[in-house]
Amino acid sequence: MREIIVHLDDRTAERLRAVAMVDGVAEGVWIARHVEDALADLWPDALRSLAGAWADAPPPRPSALRARRGDDVRLDASLRLAAQGRTEEGRA
């Protein structure tokens, strides 16, 4: 497994810490999962081979489909904590 250094400003690093804590994983695990999701934005070869098989528009990118799931999908870490009755300091 490779080790990669990521430089984040203080605010972003704190938000990362908070959301990883809420998800119950280490910060590196949280980052790795989201990198994997971002890189999975390609259709499988079997599906891409069907492009042009229909006369209408080409299929949308998976990220375009995910973007339509609604505003509640990307909750800010503080909202997730509030939903669990906690604060960023860990107090209820």
Side-chain angles (χ1 to χ4, degrees), residues 6-89:
V6 178
H7 298 276
L8 301 172
D9 61 75
D10 291 341
R11 181 175 182 272
T12 303
E14 182 56 32
R15 291 179 71 207
L16 169 61
R17 185 199 63 76
V19 74
M21 181 181 75
V22 169
D23 288 350
V25 297
E27 295 166 14
V29 171
W30 194 92
I31 291 170
R33 287 180 183 170
H34 286 80
V35 168
E36 289 170 2
D37 287 347
L39 296 176
D41 194 24
L42 300 174
W43 291 105
D45 289 338
L47 184 59
R48 287 188 315 149
S49 69
L50 296 174
W54 292 275
D56 57 354
R61 294 181 61 87
S63 59
L65 296 174
R66 286 192 295 268
R68 297 185 202 136
R69 291 191 298 187
D71 295 337
D72 59 337
V73 172
R74 295 183 181 175
L75 290 176
D76 186 79
S78 60
L79 294 176
R80 289 185 188 183
L81 290 169
Q84 295 178 354
R86 300 186 317 182
T87 65
E88 289 188 6
E89 292 79 30

